[in-house]
Amino acid sequence: MTAVVVTGSAGGMGGAVAKLFRAKGFTVIGLDLKPSVDADHSFVGDVYDEKIWAEITEHIASNKLEVSSLINIAGRNYFDTIDKAELDQWRDMFDVNVLGMVIGIKHLSPLLKKTPNATIVNMSSISAHIGSVGYAAYVATKGAVDSLTKSLALELAPHIRVNAVAPGWIETPFTVEGLNLADDPVAYRKNVENMHALKRVGTAEEIANVIYFLTSKESSFVTGSILTADGGYLIKN
């Protein structure tokens, strides 16, 4: 049976991805800090903990699963101006947003190499291209994700294709939390919607469809790419 591994699978984006891949007939192995209701097999722990990845690979082997894709969605945010930066927060940001991907890829790439059309999809962000006041830590991690994606696309070719998705504003608890930091969340949300050429924020399901495309044979000549799915935010701003 063919399986995919999804990190951040209990979140809005990860849950949408897990649902879509299950609907497409894949066995979904999820990893998050809490149980993943949309995964067939749910692992609870930190993405940067090598022990949990050893458990996942053992589970894959013992159940004789063929892994076709690793989808790295797990991430966190941190807001503060640089003069107040807490270094422990910065370190944790890189542990979760970057090292979690590195460790997952380290443990799963040997299994992925055994599967035809194997893929890795990393979660980036348009923030890596535009910057954002108060979110330097988040922006820095997403810039690292882009560079990691390009380097590993070369290193793992031709056996594994490695790409990333850079969404604009997406309707998830993660982004709503950011919106609610504004003095006037309703006005700020309207302003954010107008920043997009499509005059709205995206949905988790729309990004899940982009991720599915990058794992499918329809994208078989795509690797090392950062696919922007931002409703026209970058071209407008």
Side-chain angles (χ1 to χ4, degrees):
M1 185 170 290
T2 304
V4 297
V5 177
V6 182
T7 72
S9 51
M13 196 88 73
V17 170
K19 272 184 190 175
L20 177 59
F21 276 81
R22 286 182 76 183
K24 297 288 186 180
F26 291 87
T27 295
V28 176
I29 299 169
L31 171 59
D32 209 316
L33 290 176
K34 58 184 179 180
S36 309
V37 297
D38 297 303
D40 297 287
H41 307 279
S42 179
F43 288 82
V44 176
D46 291 308
V47 288
Y48 53 85
D49 182 357
E50 290 211 67
K51 292 179 181 178
I52 199 78
W53 284 105
E55 291 177 23
I56 290 171
T57 52
E58 173 59 30
H59 175 83
I60 291 167
S62 62
N63 285 276
K64 295 180 171 60
L65 297 172
E66 181 183 72
V67 182
S68 63
S69 298
L70 168 60
I71 303 165
N72 290 306
I73 296 178
R76 56 155 300 204
N77 211 336
Y78 168 61
F79 175 85
D80 221 339
T81 53
I82 196 65
D83 57 310
K84 298 176 183 176
E86 298 177 31
L87 296 187
D88 285 344
Q89 290 281 3
W90 274 72
R91 292 185 184 100
D92 191 62
M93 285 288 293
F94 275 88
D95 280 346
V96 175
N97 292 7
V98 184
L99 287 181
M101 293 185 184
V102 171
I103 295 169
I105 295 168
K106 171 187 173 180
H107 283 267
L108 285 192
S109 56
L111 299 178
L112 288 166
K113 287 179 180 178
K114 299 177 182 179
T115 307
N117 192 45
T119 58
I120 295 170
V121 181
N122 298 325
M123 183 56 63
S124 182
S125 170
I126 60 169
S127 296
H129 304 282
I130 60 176
S132 187
V133 175
Y135 291 100
Y138 180 78
V139 170
T141 63
K142 292 308 178 180
V145 167
D146 287 0
S147 296
L148 178 70
T149 297
K150 294 172 185 178
S151 291
L152 293 186
L154 289 174
E155 184 174 328
L156 298 175
H159 307 289
I160 305 170
R161 294 189 295 108
V162 186
N163 294 291
V165 177
W169 285 81
I170 306 300
E171 188 73 31
T172 67
F174 185 87
T175 51
V176 169
E177 181 182 343
L179 285 169
N180 287 338
L181 290 175
D183 293 332
D184 186 343
V186 174
Y188 185 43
R189 181 191 175 92
K190 189 64 179 176
N191 184 49
V192 165
E193 290 174 345
N194 288 331
M195 289 178 180
H196 296 71
L198 296 183
K199 298 292 185 181
R200 64 177 178 86
V201 298
T203 67
E205 290 73 22
E206 287 174 312
I207 302 304
N209 285 329
V210 174
I211 290 170
Y212 182 76
F213 165 72
L214 287 175
T215 66
S216 71
K217 291 182 179 178
E218 280 69 27
S219 64
S220 58
F221 202 54
V222 180
T223 196
S225 292
I226 316 299
L227 199 161
T228 301
D230 68 348
Y233 185 103
L234 288 180
I235 59 172
K236 188 173 182 181
N237 297 279

